[in-house]
Amino acid sequence: MSVATITITERQEATAAGADGFPVTKRVAGMSASKTMAVSALADQLRREGADMIDLGAGEPDFPTPENIRRAAYAAMESGHTKYTPAAGTLRLKRAICERFAEDFGARYEPDQVLAAAGAKQVIFNAIATLIEPGDDVLVPKPYWVTFPEAIIFAGGRAVWIETEDQGFRLTAEAVERALTPCSKLLILNSPSNPSGLVVPPDEFEKILALAVRRGLWVISDECYCHFVYEPVRPFSASQLPEDLRRRVLIAGSLSKTYAMTGWRIGYALGSREWIKAMTCLQSHSTSNPTSISQEAAIEALTGSQDSVSQMLKAYRERRDWLIPALNALPGVSCATPDGAFYAFPSVKGLSGQTSENLTTRLLEEAHVAVTPGDAFGAPGYLRLSYATSMEKLQSAVERIKLVLDAL
């Protein structure tokens, strides 16, 4: 029997159920495993069984980590950078992060306003865990990255959704204001968006931040894809806003996408000294510190040549410009053109009798193409396809998807 004979959600529930009577805490039992990782796990299993899989589910660059970064890691090991570091990262790395933001965005941060962590996921988890108390509301625009609601659940907060589908998934200050509750404490922004690839324009971003300051909200700005935007859109960061607007903002960033360093697990936070101090305390009791060797590689990534970033962006644009028209040519499928990141987020609501989860399962089983159902991002009826893979694989994947859709 194929591993994909039940939906992604059903497989997660079956895995989580267990029969050994382990008393899982309520805060963890209320969480769901990452569907993006679940899809990749199923694709890997099918591949081991001999299937010719094309994996468009993972949000991972298909490019190797640039050579200069790899060589920096080798040199770090040879020179003995294999010990504990300060919990928030080395001073050299924090300075490198500050310098990169100064060069790219004209922003001024000091090292004590920076925390390095084991990926942006840990940054966001730390940020929510140090701010949110049981009973607090967190405003989250839909569609959302899969980890946002789960980290909120763990902290005891309540996710309050900001609906954006009627506006083509474009977030506005008006939509944020409509979602406010008396218990609202935090707003999470993600631009470019994972999964939609859409960007909040700078003027609208400023309006949203001004609203947050007026209402006493704290803000997490997830900027993991900020360097991957397509002209005429320009890279933008909350760090570019006036100090009075960004004083309640924590920027979450990552080297994973920008430098093809997903496995190195290096992310960072920039924000108020008090918030950074609290996150550092928490991190000191969880991971102790980010990996020392990865930190040395990250310094080279941030301070060395940036040519690899523009090269990857050029390839992503070429793939996007081919893929979006190809998806729109499929029966029952419609897809907006993303402004950034490397995801297509097509609607499959035009396919009669198919849910996005069922279609994901059919594509796994029948086409051996892995995609992620929109349900994982709070948007049933959509699929997320990563085009961080070769043009050849994208073309083959679309041909396989078309065969499945034609047979419905």
Side-chain angles (χ1 to χ4, degrees):
M1 179 181 293
S2 168
V3 297
T5 54
I6 58 177
T7 68
I8 304 300
T9 295
E10 289 169 337
R11 174 162 287 275
Q12 285 181 301
E13 290 172 351
T15 301
D20 59 4
F22 181 75
V24 179
T25 61
K26 290 182 180 179
R27 64 181 178 276
V28 173
M31 300 169 71
S32 299
S34 169
K35 286 187 180 180
T36 54
M37 299 191 79
V39 167
S40 292
L42 289 174
D44 285 343
Q45 186 169 340
L46 284 168
R47 190 178 290 110
R48 289 194 299 272
E49 293 175 358
D52 177 19
M53 291 297 306
I54 299 177
D55 189 355
L56 307 183
E60 182 168 39
D62 59 316
F63 299 97
T65 303
E67 183 179 1
N68 64 310
I69 300 173
R70 300 197 309 269
R71 289 191 178 278
Y74 302 150
M77 288 184 283
E78 290 298 323
S79 59
H81 288 282
T82 57
K83 306 295 184 181
Y84 291 129
T85 76
T90 66
L91 181 59
R92 289 180 62 239
L93 175 55
K94 291 194 287 185
R95 283 176 173 164
I97 293 167
C98 293
E99 290 166 6
R100 175 50 50 202
F101 268 73
E103 182 172 342
D104 291 345
F105 303 114
R108 292 190 61 184
Y109 286 91
E110 298 298 328
D112 60 352
Q113 294 176 279
V114 180
L115 172 135
K121 186 176 288 189
Q122 187 182 23
V123 165
I124 290 167
F125 193 95
N126 288 350
I128 292 173
T130 51
L131 178 70
I132 297 304
E133 303 274 12
D136 289 338
D137 286 346
V138 181
L139 302 180
V140 183
K142 284 185 175 181
Y144 48 75
W145 182 48
V146 295
T147 293
F148 294 153
E150 307 308 328
I152 294 165
I153 288 170
F154 184 86
R158 184 174 75 101
V160 176
W161 310 123
I162 303 175
E163 300 293 343
T164 63
E165 186 173 4
D166 289 347
Q167 292 79 44
F169 294 136
R170 298 281 180 183
L171 182 66
T172 64
E174 288 78 9
V176 174
E177 189 161 24
R178 285 195 300 269
L180 285 168
T181 75
C183 297
S184 295
K185 190 173 186 180
L186 173 66
L187 167 66
I188 300 180
L189 302 176
N190 177 208
S191 179
S193 164
N194 175 7
S196 72
L198 297 181
V199 167
V200 180
D203 58 343
E204 195 65 37
F205 203 105
E206 186 167 351
K207 292 177 184 177
I208 293 170
L209 263 291
L211 170 66
V213 170
R214 288 198 308 272
R215 297 302 185 94
L217 295 177
W218 297 89
V219 178
I220 294 174
S221 179
D222 179 346
E223 302 181 3
C224 289
Y225 297 90
C226 71
H227 288 287
F228 289 149
V229 294
Y230 309 108
E231 293 182 350
V233 179
R234 304 292 298 170
F236 174 78
S237 167
S239 66
Q240 294 172 264
L241 296 176
E243 174 62 28
D244 63 325
L245 292 185
R246 62 182 173 93
R247 59 189 172 85
R248 300 176 72 89
V249 178
L250 184 102
I251 293 171
S254 172
L255 277 70
S256 292
K257 320 298 183 179
T258 311
Y259 302 103
M261 294 178 67
T262 52
W264 299 75
R265 307 314 303 135
I266 290 290
Y268 55 83
L270 295 149
S272 73
R273 290 173 173 84
E274 294 79 7
W275 204 346
I276 294 295
K277 182 178 179 181
M279 292 169 62
T280 301
C281 178
L282 174 61
Q283 185 161 291
S284 72
H285 294 291
S286 56
T287 56
S288 293
N289 57 266
T291 303
S292 59
I293 300 161
S294 294
Q295 289 187 64
E296 291 297 307
I299 292 169
E300 172 60 26
L302 293 162
T303 61
S305 171
Q306 302 297 297
D307 289 348
S308 63
V309 181
S310 58
Q311 291 166 4
M312 284 189 282
L313 178 60
K314 181 177 182 290
Y316 292 146
R317 173 146 198 168
E318 291 172 352
R319 297 168 187 179
R320 181 202 69 162
D321 291 348
W322 179 86
L323 179 61
I324 302 306
L327 290 174
N328 281 315
L330 295 173
V333 177
S334 62
C335 187
T337 301
D339 303 316
F342 42 67
Y343 304 110
F345 199 56
S347 169
V348 292
K349 293 184 177 182
L351 298 172
S352 178
Q354 290 293 315
T355 67
S356 49
E357 284 222 332
N358 288 340
L359 184 58
T360 297
T361 301
R362 292 195 68 159
L363 293 177
L364 270 173
E365 288 185 328
E366 300 173 26
H368 293 157
V369 174
V371 301
T372 308
D375 309 62
F377 312 99
Y382 291 79
L383 302 177
R384 192 193 75 171
L385 285 69
S386 168
Y387 50 87
T389 190
S390 70
M391 185 70 79
E392 180 183 8
K393 288 184 178 180
L394 286 175
Q395 292 170 342
S396 179
V398 171
E399 291 174 0
R400 296 183 190 187
I401 292 170
K402 185 177 186 304
L403 290 174
V404 172
L405 299 187
D406 286 343
L408 294 177

